[in-house]
């Protein structure tokens, strides 16, 4: 059983040797990749050691029980622990998303619902910022377009983690948040107390570790500069500091106006552009392999929702995993972990089922 662990044990030793080589740390990007892989393989090695130890203990207990029945009392507990260890190792051996250890760039866009949708987009941003804080992640607001009544028509935020373990990575947790989020509540603009339904869209991209990772020809970029504006279109800057970059081969357009410096806005726009190009390249490759991503919906339509936030009932419901709870107030304050874990578990179950089908 678990024959696939043997090459991983050998790889673990090789990674240890690499990490002990001072030359590795002269290349920050390579050192980061090796550290991530080492953390991932270390989890498997530790789980395998536990499984092997319990396997040996159970065999010894059965041998002893054959001679002395008092040892038989230990067998049920050892069997239970071994089954749990075996299941944990089996899950760890599922091929992991290679982007799990990456940081992310998240974009939240108001959709159907006008001003209420923009207010909800602001609430979602606050929810994700609180969740990131609870995980010890750092956040950086890259750009925002505020609405007239508050909230955001569009807001982009970079979220950065500190763990080298891909299982604790930002992308590993937030990749499931991409899609349409529906809200049901009485809007602040509603005078008669009627419940309205509106929606906001969330897009999540794994951020590129190093600029060289995504090759971008400068001749393929169309760069425009303009004056930044605030709610209602009023000018908030007297210089052409806002930047719009169009990647001609893909048609991807990124605009930034959050900073007063044109250079800072350009650097932020390039970060987002690289992340979007990386995501586009990955989706194209996966589509060719008949495994295109289905986790993110690119249109902001109430009918294509992944989650509903029902404020009158204090209810949160995820339509992909079936998760439902009546603690929406806590969720909006950042208590997202149970919902995220339900998505991670559902993803693992789907991949286990796919592996079982392949093995059969």
């Amino acid at each position: 059983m678990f024959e696939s662990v043997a090459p991983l044990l050998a790889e673990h030793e090789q990674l240890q040797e690499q990490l002990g080589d001072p030359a590795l740390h002269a290349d920050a990007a390579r050192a980061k990749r090796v550290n991530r892989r080492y953390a991932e393989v270390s989890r498997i090695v530790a789980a395998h050691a536990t499984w092997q130890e319990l396997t040996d203990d159970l065999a010894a207990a059965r041998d002893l029980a054959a001679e002395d029945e008092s040892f038989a009392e230990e067998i049920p507990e050892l069997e239970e622990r071994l089954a749990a260890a075996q299941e944990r190792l089996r899950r760890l051996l599922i091929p992991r998303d290679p982007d799990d250890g990456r940081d992310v760039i998240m974009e939240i866009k108001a959709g159907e619902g006008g001003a209420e949708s923009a207010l909800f987009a602001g609430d979602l941003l606050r929810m994700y910022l609180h969740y990131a804080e609870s995980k010890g992640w750092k956040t950086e607001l890259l750009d925002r377009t505020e609405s007239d009544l508050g909230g955001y028509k569009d807001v982009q935020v970079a979220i950065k983690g500190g763990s080298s373990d891909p299982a604790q990575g930002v992308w590993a947790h937030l990749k499931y948040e991409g899609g349409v989020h529906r809200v049901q509540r009485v809007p602040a603009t509603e005078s008669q107390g009627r419940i309205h339904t509106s929606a906001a869209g969330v897009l999540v991209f794994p951020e590129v570790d190093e600029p060289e990772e995504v090759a971008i020809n400068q001749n393929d970029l169309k760069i425009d500069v303009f004056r930044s504006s605030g709610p209602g279109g009023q000018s908030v800057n007297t210089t052409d500091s806002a930047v719009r970059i169009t990647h001609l081969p893909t048609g991807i357009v990124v605009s930034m106006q959050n900073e007063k410096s044109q250079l800072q806005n350009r650097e932020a726009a390039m970060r987002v552009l690289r992340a979007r190009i990386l995501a586009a390249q990955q989706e194209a490759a996966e589509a060719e392999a008949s495994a295109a991503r289905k986790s993110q919906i690119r249109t902001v339509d109430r009918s294509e929702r992944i989650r509903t936030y029902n404020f009158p009932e204090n209810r949160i419901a995820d339509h992909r995993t079936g998760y439902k709870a009546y603690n929406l107030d806590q969720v909006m304050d950042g208590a997202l972990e149970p919902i995220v874990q339900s998505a991670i578990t559902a993803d693992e179950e789907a991949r286990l089922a796919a592996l079982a089908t392949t093995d059969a």
Side-chain angles (χ1 to χ4, degrees):
M1 185 178 286
F2 299 131
E3 294 82 2
S4 59
V5 175
L8 293 174
L9 297 176
E11 182 185 0
H12 188 255
E13 292 184 4
Q14 294 171 359
L15 291 168
Q16 281 184 317
E17 292 179 4
Q18 291 182 46
L19 288 170
D21 183 358
L24 171 70
H25 303 282
D27 184 341
R30 181 166 169 261
K32 188 173 185 178
R33 289 193 298 271
V34 173
N35 267 301
R36 280 181 184 168
R37 181 59 179 166
Y38 179 72
E40 181 180 356
V41 177
S42 293
R43 287 161 56 89
I44 297 173
V45 169
H48 180 264
T50 300
W51 171 78
Q52 187 64 65
E53 181 181 353
L54 287 169
T55 299
D56 295 342
D57 288 349
L58 179 59
R62 284 171 173 166
D63 289 342
L64 291 170
E67 300 177 4
D68 185 342
E69 291 185 0
S70 64
F71 287 99
E73 297 177 2
E74 301 178 16
I75 292 177
E77 180 186 353
L78 285 170
E79 288 177 334
E80 185 176 335
R81 291 170 60 194
L82 179 59
Q86 182 171 311
E87 177 62 17
R88 171 170 169 74
L89 180 55
R90 191 166 70 99
R91 288 181 177 274
L92 287 174
L93 288 171
I94 301 171
R96 178 170 288 282
D97 182 339
D99 291 331
D100 275 353
R102 292 185 187 268
D103 300 325
V104 309
I105 290 177
M106 174 181 284
E107 181 174 3
I108 306 172
K109 302 169 68 71
E112 292 184 4
E116 162 62 6
S117 177
L119 290 171
F120 181 53
D123 292 337
L124 287 177
L125 174 64
R126 177 177 173 274
M127 177 184 75
Y128 287 122
L129 292 179
H130 281 303
Y131 178 61
E133 182 180 12
S134 73
K135 301 290 286 185
W137 299 336
K138 296 180 180 179
T139 57
E140 177 187 359
L141 194 62
L142 298 177
D143 197 54
R144 63 183 183 272
T145 304
E146 298 177 2
S147 66
D148 295 337
L149 299 178
Y152 298 98
K153 296 178 181 177
D154 193 329
V155 58
Q156 294 175 335
V157 59
I159 306 176
K160 183 178 181 64
S163 175
S164 60
D165 185 352
Q168 302 303 318
V170 183
W171 174 256
H173 289 74
L174 293 183
K175 61 184 175 183
Y176 305 104
E177 294 304 303
V180 175
H181 297 241
R182 186 179 73 162
V183 61
Q184 295 172 323
R185 65 184 179 186
V186 178
T189 55
E190 170 60 53
S191 60
Q192 299 182 23
R194 293 174 297 187
I195 296 174
H196 288 226
T197 299
S198 61
V202 175
L203 298 175
V204 190
F205 304 97
E207 185 163 13
V208 174
D209 288 331
E210 297 294 328
E212 298 77 16
E213 191 177 344
V214 174
I216 299 178
N217 189 329
Q218 292 300 310
N219 294 328
D220 290 337
L221 301 179
K222 181 177 181 292
I223 301 176
D224 301 303
V225 296
F226 54 97
R227 293 186 180 182
S228 57
S229 61
Q234 73 265 30
S235 176
V236 296
N237 201 340
T238 58
T239 62
D240 293 336
S241 61
V243 174
R244 180 187 301 111
I245 301 179
T246 304
H247 185 244
L248 300 175
T250 61
I252 296 173
V253 180
V254 178
S255 296
M256 288 287 164
Q257 63 173 18
N258 196 52
E259 304 294 339
K260 294 182 179 180
S261 161
Q262 184 183 123
L263 178 61
Q264 288 177 307
N265 282 326
R266 178 168 175 160
E267 290 176 347
M270 287 300 296
R271 284 177 64 185
V272 175
L273 179 63
R274 282 190 288 265
R276 289 187 178 180
I277 291 176
L278 176 65
Q281 290 174 345
Q282 291 172 336
E283 287 174 1
E286 290 173 357
E288 290 178 4
S290 300
R293 293 183 185 181
K294 299 178 181 179
S295 62
Q296 299 198 44
I297 301 169
R298 301 300 172 115
T299 59
V300 186
D301 183 323
R302 283 197 300 259
S303 64
E304 298 181 336
R305 64 192 183 276
I306 66 163
R307 195 174 294 156
T308 294
Y309 303 71
N310 186 305
F311 279 76
E313 297 179 10
N314 198 34
R315 172 170 53 85
I316 180 76
D318 193 294
H319 307 292
R320 299 161 301 176
T321 66
Y323 179 91
K324 184 184 293 186
Y326 291 85
N327 65 336
L328 179 56
D329 52 341
Q330 297 174 34
V331 170
M332 298 310 294
D333 281 333
L336 266 176
E337 191 64 18
I339 306 173
V340 170
Q341 288 301 323
S342 75
I344 292 174
T345 300
D347 190 21
E348 287 180 348
E349 294 292 345
R351 286 186 288 161
L352 281 170
L355 285 174
T357 303
T358 303
D359 293 341

